[in-house]
Amino acid sequence: SLDMRLFCREVVLTWQRLIVQAQIQLVDKASLLRSDLYPAWTHLQAAQPMSWGHYLLALAEMLRRDYQRLQSYLSQHNVSPLGAGALSGSTLDLDPDRTAKELGFEESFRNSYDVVGDRDFVLELAQVGTQIMLHLSRMAEDFIYFASTPVGWVQLPDELCTGSSMMPQKKNPDLLELMRGKASSVIGHAHALTVLLKGLATSYHRDLQQDKEHLFAIVDIVGDSLELVPLLVRGFTIDRDRTAQALQEGFLMATDLAEYLVGLGLPFRSAHEKVGKLVTYCVNRNLPLHGLSLEEIQQIIPECRPDVEKLLNPQTVLQRRKHAGATGLNSIDAQLSFWRDWIEERQGSNR
């Protein structure tokens, strides 16, 4: 129990360090790509223009929650079991508080019977590892999609890809696919630990030695996967021609146009209906929104003014989305400032 607790504590510190290293690369790349746009999606359908920097900082936020889960784990499970004996303590003159302090634990156990059978600290680390892998798997899926032949918005670094044994032209995102696939292994190991504990009476049982084969596998997979993230983020490049073309498709500025009408005093329901009719007009004539003349727009939405034509340029989202947390440049810069301070604090605490 002591060795496993010391091991888990070391794993937590290692995962936190790897998370911060990944965030450093995400923040650096977000700073470089703050003004570059791509068609962000919902339901895997083109929705609105969004900054690549804003997207990368979203990944940093996901990892921040994982970091904080690990921090919470440390405060919850930094307990020494030494002195509990087999289950009821000892008649010897032991000092559990002293050994706890010397080993770097925050406290000693309060109940010997509880601590000898406790494997919550193993299961919870497995659960946090599962959450990390869910985030990394979703990120991997994003980049696999971004780099796919029909989309082609990014090029992945060569060191994360392999060729085909048969087709010489292929560049397959194998390591990202393995990361995505290994997430299922972590989920399986965490589930196995859950089932292992579910059937046990309280106190110690030899079944508990099975915790190691599941925990050690999780630790290896999560650590290896976190080490891939900086390589991916530092190494991918965007295809600006492909993204520029995609930004002109899918009527991405329709919501901005509806909000423009709201700014002129229309209820959003009416604005939504009018813009929907304009989109239908474009679909029937195979035209993009930005391909319409002011006269055509005003035939369907007479409230529109000459400034509406500038609104239909996707780049305006960087200036018009001004509130905190949005994909506007002011918000992105505020996020970058927050992240630089946050990372500096984490690095300082780990020195």
Side-chain angles (χ1 to χ4, degrees):
S1 177
L2 172 66
D3 291 346
M4 286 291 282
R5 289 171 187 272
L6 291 170
F7 174 78
C8 288
R9 189 172 68 188
E10 189 63 30
V11 167
V12 167
L13 297 175
T14 299
W15 286 359
Q16 286 185 319
R17 176 179 55 80
L18 292 173
I19 285 172
V20 172
Q21 289 177 356
Q23 289 171 322
I24 290 171
Q25 296 302 321
L26 287 165
V27 171
D28 287 348
K29 197 64 167 277
S31 179
L32 293 174
L33 300 180
R34 58 192 282 277
S35 299
D36 289 279
L37 299 177
Y38 79 101
W41 59 61
T42 62
H43 309 278
L44 274 185
Q45 304 296 314
Q48 293 180 307
M50 193 170 79
S51 160
W52 279 106
H54 196 62
Y55 165 74
L56 293 168
L57 294 177
L59 300 179
E61 290 283 355
M62 295 161 72
L63 290 174
R64 179 172 178 259
R65 292 194 294 275
D66 295 328
Y67 186 101
Q68 291 172 319
R69 289 185 184 96
L70 292 167
Q71 197 65 34
S72 175
Y73 174 94
L74 285 177
S75 63
Q76 177 74 16
H77 297 293
N78 203 7
V79 177
S80 170
L82 281 187
L87 73 163
S88 61
S90 174
T91 61
L92 300 176
D93 185 19
L94 305 180
D95 188 352
D97 288 335
R98 176 182 174 183
T99 52
K101 182 178 180 180
E102 291 184 356
L103 288 168
F105 289 102
E106 291 183 3
E107 58 182 330
S108 180
F109 62 92
R110 277 181 298 276
N111 185 291
S112 62
Y113 186 69
D114 169 66
V115 80
V116 297
D118 171 30
R119 289 301 182 274
D120 290 0
F121 69 96
V122 178
L123 179 59
E124 189 166 337
L125 187 59
Q127 292 167 337
V128 177
T130 298
Q131 185 67 69
I132 293 172
M133 289 305 298
L134 289 176
H135 285 154
L136 297 187
S137 180
R138 297 183 73 185
M139 180 189 68
E141 172 62 17
D142 281 356
F143 278 92
I144 291 168
Y145 178 86
F146 291 151
S148 63
T149 303
V151 180
W153 296 341
V154 307
Q155 283 288 331
L156 298 175
D158 288 345
E159 59 265 34
L160 299 186
C161 301
T162 66
S164 165
S165 59
M166 180 180 180
M167 296 168 282
Q169 83 282 8
K170 295 293 293 299
K171 181 179 178 180
N172 298 324
D174 280 8
L175 268 73
L176 293 181
E177 292 174 342
L178 288 170
M179 181 192 295
R180 184 179 59 185
K182 287 288 187 180
S184 65
S185 298
V186 171
I187 293 168
H189 285 298
H191 183 67
L193 280 168
T194 305
V195 176
L196 174 68
L197 295 172
K198 179 263 177 192
L200 293 183
T202 55
S203 192
Y204 179 78
H205 306 271
R206 195 56 175 261
D207 312 51
L208 292 176
Q209 73 176 14
Q210 295 295 109
D211 60 359
K212 296 166 188 60
E213 66 180 71
H214 300 298
L215 178 64
F216 294 167
I218 290 171
V219 169
D220 288 343
I221 292 170
V222 174
D224 290 346
S225 298
L226 284 171
E227 288 182 350
L228 287 180
V229 178
L231 299 177
L232 169 64
V233 176
R234 188 168 55 242
F236 87 87
T237 57
I238 60 173
D239 187 324
R240 289 181 171 84
D241 292 336
R242 295 287 289 267
T243 52
Q245 179 183 349
L247 287 166
Q248 302 303 324
E249 301 169 353
F251 309 105
L252 300 178
M253 300 304 293
T255 304
D256 285 56
L257 180 55
E259 292 179 345
Y260 166 83
L261 295 175
V262 171
L264 296 178
L266 271 71
F268 184 79
R269 178 177 295 182
S270 300
H272 188 284
E273 180 180 359
K274 287 175 178 289
V275 175
K277 290 180 179 179
L278 186 65
V279 170
T280 300
Y281 176 88
C282 291
V283 170
N284 292 337
R285 290 158 180 78
N286 196 28
L287 292 171
L289 278 176
H290 66 275
L292 298 176
S293 66
L294 177 61
E295 291 74 19
E296 287 177 297
I297 295 172
Q298 289 177 330
Q299 285 178 6
I300 298 174
I301 312 178
E303 294 86 353
C304 286
R305 301 170 181 176
D307 62 348
V308 72
E309 293 179 288
K310 294 181 180 179
L311 173 82
L312 299 179
N313 178 359
Q315 287 293 327
T316 62
V317 303
L318 296 174
Q319 285 74 41
R320 298 184 74 247
R321 282 164 169 74
K322 298 178 180 180
H323 65 78
T327 195
L329 288 179
N330 289 340
S331 166
I332 293 172
D333 288 341
Q335 291 179 67
L336 290 170
S337 177
F338 166 84
W339 278 109
R340 292 185 182 110
D341 291 343
W342 194 88
I343 288 170
E344 185 177 356
E345 289 176 8
R346 304 288 92 68
Q347 289 179 313
S349 64
N350 291 331
R351 290 192 184 105

